[in-house]
Amino acid sequence: MKRDDDFIRSLLFEAEESRQPFLLAPLHMNPSEEELKRHMHAKWLTDAGFFTR
């Protein structure tokens, strides 16, 4: 999967606007393409230090 900078930007805005102290990106047994994209981009943001586990 390729990194989508616009999607990363939207995740960061979502986290900033949220009243919750977390961003959910669960991974299920048979994830849809959108769920997989959200999970992988959240993982990359965590790896880069933007989020913690």
Side-chain angles (χ1 to χ4, degrees), residues 26-32 35-36:
L27 188 59
H28 304 286
M29 289 290 285
N30 293 315
S32 68
E35 289 171 330
L36 184 58

Side-chain angles (χ1 to χ4, degrees), residues 4-29:
D4 182 343
D5 292 335
D6 290 330
F7 192 75
I8 287 174
R9 185 172 183 257
S10 70
L11 284 178
L12 290 172
F13 280 137
E14 179 184 335
E16 182 179 51
E17 293 171 358
S18 176
R19 292 179 170 235
Q20 304 297 328
F22 50 83
L23 177 71
L24 292 177
L27 188 59
H28 304 286
M29 289 290 285

Side-chain angles (χ1 to χ4, degrees), residues 11-12 15 22-23 41-43 45-53:
L11 284 178
L12 290 172
F22 50 83
L23 177 71
H41 283 74
K43 181 184 179 320
L45 284 168
T46 301
D47 291 347
F50 286 93
F51 301 118
T52 59
R53 292 179 194 224

